[in-house]
Amino acid sequence: MKRVVIVGVGFGGLRAAQALSGKGLDVLLVDRNNYHLFQPLLYQVATAVLEQESIVYPIREIIRHWKGIRFQLAEVRNVDLERRQILTADATIEYDYLILAAGSITNFFGMDTVKRYGYDLKYLSDAVMLRSHILYAFERAAQRQNLPEREALLTFVIVGGGPTGIEFAGALSELIHHVLSKDYPELQVKDARIILVEAGGSLLLTFPKKLQDYARMRLQQIGVKVRLGTAVSGAGPSRVLLKDGTWISSYTLFWAAGVCAASLADALPVMKVRGSRVAVKPNLTIEDYPEVFVIGDMAYFEQDRQPLPLTAPVAMQQGEYAGRAVLQCEYGNSVEPFRYYDRGSMATIGRGAAVANIKNFNFSGFPAWIIWLVLHLFFLIGFRNRVVVLLNWAYDYFFYKKQVRIITQKGREAESETY
Amino acid sequence: MKRVVIVGVGFGGLRAAQALSGKGLDVLLVDRNNYHLFQPLLYQVATAVLEQESIVYPIREIIRHWKGIRFQLAEVRNVDLERRQILTADATIEYDYLILAAGSITNFFGMDTVKRYGYDLKYLSDAVMLRSHILYAFERAAQRQNLPEREALLTFVIVGGGPTGIEFAGALSELIHHVLSKDYPELQVKDARIILVEAGGSLLLTFPKKLQDYARMRLQQIGVKVRLGTAVSGAGPSRVLLKDGTWISSYTLFWAAGVCAASLADALPVMKVRGSRVAVKPNLTIEDYPEVFVIGDMAYFEQDRQPLPLTAPVAMQQGEYAGRAVLQCEYGNSVEPFRYYDRGSMATIGRGAAVANIKNFNFSGFPAWIIWLVLHLFFLIGFRNRVVVLLNWAYDYFFYKKQVRIITQKGREAESETY
C-alpha cells in the first residue's frame, strides 16, 4: 500500500487527509501537537473571551472515522527528498507522496528586540501568554504609584493593520473598556491607550477602500488610536521604538505585521519567495519532485499575477486539491492546475461590528458581524466547541463578561521585571 | 479605618472576606493568583473532562460588589508579627487584623525522587501538566515497539486511598477505557493498568466501613487494581519503588498521599503539628497574637479530640468564623470557640458511582453520584461555569467524549526522556 505523509494538521493538512480517506492508501498525519487549532479565533483567547480548549479539537477524534488515516505526534526536523523520508527527533518515516502543510511562523524581519519583547499569535501557548501578560500589566499598574510607569503598563501597541491586528485591537478595547474598567476601581482604566501602528497608508490593504475607511472610523470610535505610515523598528521591555526614532512607553507590543513559512521550508532545496515561502508549480508540487506537495501558508502561489493570501480558505482549497491530485496521480491521470476560488474576506472590529467583502458585495457594521459570527461557528470543528463558543459570545455580548481573564503564565513577566 | 489583610482567596479566605464586606473595614485580599480555584474538581481537569477555565473564577469579579474589599496580586513571603506587616516580593503591607488562609501543599515526606518524578494536584498548572503527561504517554506508547517500555507507559500508579486518589483513579479509568481506547486503535489500550496503592488497611479511612467496601469493589469493577497495606518509597522516570523493595514499571506516579501547610506557616513562630500545620487556639488565633487568625488547611484544630480534616467545608466555616470574630473584636465583644458543623463527606468513583456519608446516612452508587453532582455544581462559583461544567458532564456522560484531551505542556517529559 502506498503511503502518503501529511505534515501538519491545520486547515490544509486536514482537508488533504479528508480527501484521501477511504481510498485504499496508507495516510499518516504528523504534527507536533495532538490537536487541530482554529487559528482565526486565537485573538479571542488572548483577550479572555474564549478558553483555549474551545478553539482546538483532538486530532485523533477527528480522524477516528476516516478510513486509512493514522496520526503520529512528532516534530518533523528535516526532509530527505532523494530517499523519500521525513526525519523526526527519533524516527525516520518513508513516504511515497508527501504533503507539506506546516503553516507559517511570525516574521520579525530580523528585529531581535521586537522578537524578544514582542508578543505574537501563532500557537495556543502564545494566546495564553499574551492574555496573562495583559492582565498582569493591569495588576502591576494597580500596585504602582509612579505615574509614567503606570501609563506605560496601560499602553498597548499593536503593529500591523491587517485582520489580525484589527481584530485584536477591537477585542482588547472591549476587554479594557467594558470589563477591566470595572475590575480595577483603583485605576483610571479609561486612560488606557491602544495604539494600532501600520507601516502602509491604510488598514486592511486587500479590502475595498470603503471598508478600510469604515474599519478605521470604527476603531477610532472605540478608542483605538490608528497611526498609519508608521513603522516599528525596535523594542525594550517597557517601550517601543518607531522608525522615526521616537519611543512609545509601553509594556505590551503585539506584533501582527508579518509571517513567513514554517522553518521546515528551509529543508527544501527549492526557490523561496517572500518570507521564505516555497514557490510551487501550478499543481502545488515542487520542481523535480512531483510526489511532494507544498500547500497553505508554506506555499507561494501566484494567480492572475497576484500572490494568494495566507488564509484558511486558501489552505483548505489547496489541501483538498493536493489530496485529489495524489489520487489522480495513482490512477495515472493528469490534473488541472490549482485555482483558488475566492469567496471573500472579513474581519471583526469589536462587538457588533465587522467588515466583509463577499463576491464584490461589501458589508459593514452589525450585518457583517452576524455573517462573521455564523461563518466562524460553522467552520469551528465539533458540536461541543460550537455550543461553548456560542455560550461565551452570548454571555460576553449581553452581560459584558469575559470569564477567562485568569493569569496562568508569568514566565515572560519575571524576565521583563528585571530591567 | 482598620485594615484586615486576608492571605489566600481559597474557600476560607473568600468566606472571611464575604463576612467582612460592607462593615466599614478596609479589607485587602492578597493572593499570588488572580482567581479562586475550585480545587475539588482539579482531578477532572487532569483527566480531560473539564477545561481549566471552568473551575476558576476571576477574583476581581467576585469582589466587585462586595463593599470595602480590595485585591492585590502578590506572593506573601513573610509575616512580621511584631510590626503587624506582611512582606511580598516588593512591598510591605500593614495590618490590624491578619487572616492567614494560604492553604496546603503536597507533602512528599522528604522523598526527593517521588517529588521529582511524581505528579500531584494542588494548582491549576499541576492539572494541566498531569493531563498533558498522561496523553503524551499514550502518544509515546503508540510509537514504541519495545513491549516492556510500552507497558510501562500504559501503567499508572496512584498513591493514596483518600478521596483525591479514588476520584482520580475512577476518572482515569473512564478516560482510558471509554475514550482513549478508541483514540489509539494501534494500541491494546485495554491492557493499560491503573494501580491504586494505599499504605493503610482500607480506602477512604474516614468513611463508614460499608462505603469503604463499596468504593473498593467499584474500583475493581472498573479495572483499578487496589493494593492496600502497600507504601511507595521512591521513584525514577519510568518506575516506582515500593517499600518492600519491589519496583513497578510505570512512567506515571500520581501522589495523593499527604499534604502539609503552605510554606508561609514556617514564618510563624508558633507550634506546628502534623505536616507543619499551625496549632490554633479555640478562636482560631495564635498564641500571643489575638489579631492573627489561621484557618483552613494551614490550621491544626482538634474538636472532640479529633483533628479536623483538610476540606473545603472546614475552611469555609472557619473563614466565616474568622470574619465574624474580627467584627466582634472591633465591637469589643468576646466570641464563642469555633465549632465545625459536619454536614458529611463524599467521593465519586467514575461515571454514575459515588459514596456519600451525610448526617450518618450512607449513600452509594448512582444516588450518591447525583448528590455529588448537584452539590458540586451548587458550590461552583459563577453561572457560566455551572453551565459549561454541566454541559461537559452531560456530553461526557451521554456521548463518552472528553473534549479537553489536548497536550499543552511538554516540559517534564523532555526531562524524563533523557534517562
Side-chain angles (χ1 to χ4, degrees), chain A residues 32 34 51-53 60-61 64 73 139 143 183-184 384 392 401 403-405 407 410, chain B residues 32 34 51-53 60-61 64 73 139 143 183-184 384 392 403-405 407 410:
Chain A
R32 64 173 152 188
N34 75 333
E51 50 276 76
Q52 57 173 338
E53 290 82 355
R60 287 182 181 272
E61 170 119 3
R64 202 184 268 181
L73 184 79
E139 290 293 343
Q143 294 179 31
D183 272 357
Y184 296 88
R384 197 210 70 115
N392 277 315
K401 290 200 175 183
Q403 179 66 43
V404 199
R405 52 186 195 284
I407 299 171
K410 286 184 200 164
Chain B
R32 64 174 150 187
N34 75 332
E51 50 277 77
Q52 57 173 336
E53 291 81 357
R60 286 182 183 271
E61 171 120 4
R64 204 185 267 181
L73 184 79
E139 290 293 342
Q143 295 179 30
D183 271 355
Y184 296 87
R384 198 211 70 117
N392 277 315
Q403 179 67 43
V404 200
R405 51 188 196 283
I407 300 172
K410 287 182 198 165

Side-chain angles (χ1 to χ4, degrees), chain A residues 196-208:
Chain A
L196 179 64
V197 169
E198 161 60 44
S202 76
L203 301 175
L204 296 172
L205 272 176
T206 60
F207 284 66

Side-chain angles (χ1 to χ4, degrees), chain A residues 1-262:
Chain A
M1 208 190 319
K2 291 264 184 83
R3 181 185 289 163
V4 186
V5 171
I6 302 172
V7 179
V9 300
F11 292 108
L14 270 194
R15 287 298 171 111
Q18 196 172 19
L20 290 165
S21 156
K23 305 292 186 196
L25 293 167
D26 173 27
V27 180
L28 180 66
L29 279 167
V30 182
D31 198 295
R32 64 173 152 188
N33 289 316
N34 75 333
Y35 53 80
H36 168 69
L37 169 65
F38 195 77
Q39 272 194 359
L41 289 178
L42 261 186
Y43 80 95
Q44 295 209 355
V45 173
T47 50
V49 178
L50 299 177
E51 50 276 76
Q52 57 173 338
E53 290 82 355
S54 299
I55 63 163
V56 300
Y57 207 83
I59 182 68
R60 287 182 181 272
E61 170 119 3
I62 297 172
I63 65 171
R64 202 184 268 181
H65 302 293
W66 292 1
K67 253 187 118 172
I69 317 279
R70 297 182 293 130
F71 171 72
Q72 184 163 330
L73 184 79
E75 186 164 352
V76 178
R77 303 262 171 101
N78 214 335
V79 179
D80 187 333
L81 293 171
E82 301 312 322
R83 293 186 180 162
R84 298 192 178 180
Q85 294 174 338
I86 61 166
L87 292 89
T88 71
D90 52 10
T92 301
I93 301 166
E94 319 265 335
Y95 66 80
D96 297 297
Y97 295 95
L98 178 64
I99 299 176
L100 290 174
S104 56
I105 55 175
T106 300
N107 191 349
F108 292 100
F109 300 101
M111 291 182 284
D112 289 340
T113 55
V114 174
K115 186 175 180 181
R116 180 162 173 203
Y117 297 110
Y119 288 80
D120 62 331
L121 276 181
K122 272 288 160 189
Y123 307 118
L124 207 52
S125 54
D126 295 334
V128 175
M129 194 186 271
L130 180 53
R131 178 189 72 205
S132 295
H133 172 81
I134 292 168
L135 297 171
Y136 191 42
F138 277 87
E139 290 293 343
R140 283 191 289 169
Q143 294 179 31
R144 294 293 185 282
Q145 301 309 320
N146 180 322
L147 207 65
E149 202 186 336
R150 197 184 259 200
E151 278 176 16
L153 282 162
L154 298 185
T155 299
F156 303 87
V157 177
I158 298 164
V159 188
T164 308
I166 282 175
E167 296 193 320
F168 180 76
L172 183 60
S173 161
E174 253 185 71
L175 172 67
I176 290 175
H177 294 111
H178 293 306
V179 182
L180 298 184
S181 59
K182 290 176 207 142
D183 272 357
Y184 296 88
E186 62 268 56
L187 288 176
Q188 294 296 321
V189 171
K190 278 164 200 160
D191 297 346
R193 293 189 304 163
I194 304 173
I195 303 167
L196 179 64
V197 169
E198 161 60 44
S202 76
L203 301 175
L204 296 172
L205 272 176
T206 60
F207 284 66
K209 171 112 184 29
K210 201 180 138 193
L211 297 185
Q212 291 176 350
D213 292 343
Y214 173 83
R216 189 176 171 183
M217 181 271 297
R218 180 75 194 162
L219 282 171
Q220 283 165 339
Q221 264 180 5
I222 60 176
V224 176
K225 286 177 184 63
V226 179
R227 293 181 62 169
L228 301 176
T230 307
V232 162
S233 63
S238 64
R239 51 190 197 162
V240 177
L241 177 62
L242 301 183
K243 214 167 188 173
D244 64 13
T246 57
W247 290 91
I248 300 175
S249 288
S250 165
Y251 278 83
T252 309
L253 167 62
F254 173 60
W255 182 260
V259 290
C260 55

Side-chain angles (χ1 to χ4, degrees), chain B residues 19-198:
Chain B
L20 290 164
S21 157
K23 304 292 186 196
L25 293 167
D26 173 28
V27 180
L28 180 67
L29 279 166
V30 182
D31 198 294
R32 64 174 150 187
N33 289 316
N34 75 332
Y35 51 81
H36 168 71
L37 168 65
F38 195 78
Q39 271 194 358
L41 290 177
L42 260 186
Y43 79 95
Q44 294 209 355
V45 173
T47 50
V49 179
L50 298 177
E51 50 277 77
Q52 57 173 336
E53 291 81 357
S54 300
I55 64 163
V56 298
Y57 207 81
I59 182 67
R60 286 182 183 271
E61 171 120 4
I62 297 173
I63 64 172
R64 204 185 267 181
H65 301 293
W66 292 2
K67 253 188 116 172
I69 317 279
R70 296 181 294 131
F71 172 71
Q72 183 162 331
L73 184 79
E75 184 163 354
V76 177
R77 303 261 170 102
N78 214 334
V79 179
D80 187 332
L81 293 172
E82 302 311 323
R83 293 187 181 162
R84 298 191 178 180
Q85 294 174 337
I86 60 165
L87 291 89
T88 71
D90 51 9
T92 302
I93 300 166
E94 319 266 334
Y95 65 78
D96 296 298
Y97 295 96
L98 178 64
I99 300 176
L100 290 174
S104 56
I105 56 177
T106 301
N107 191 350
F108 292 99
F109 300 102
M111 292 183 286
D112 289 340
T113 55
V114 174
K115 186 175 180 180
R116 180 162 173 203
Y117 298 109
Y119 288 80
D120 63 330
L121 276 182
K122 272 289 162 191
Y123 306 117
L124 206 52
S125 55
D126 294 336
V128 175
M129 194 186 270
L130 180 53
R131 178 189 73 205
S132 295
H133 172 81
I134 293 168
L135 297 171
Y136 191 43
F138 277 86
E139 290 293 342
R140 283 190 290 171
Q143 295 179 30
R144 295 291 186 283
Q145 302 310 319
N146 180 323
L147 208 64
E149 203 187 335
R150 197 183 261 203
E151 279 176 16
L153 281 162
L154 299 184
T155 298
F156 302 87
V157 177
I158 298 163
V159 188
T164 307
I166 281 176
E167 296 194 320
F168 180 77
L172 182 61
S173 161
E174 253 184 71
L175 173 67
I176 290 175
H177 295 110
H178 293 305
V179 182
L180 298 184
S181 59
K182 291 176 207 143
D183 271 355
Y184 296 87
E186 63 266 55
L187 289 174
Q188 295 295 321
V189 172
K190 279 164 197 158
D191 298 346
R193 293 190 302 164
I194 304 173
I195 304 167
L196 179 64
V197 169
E198 161 60 45

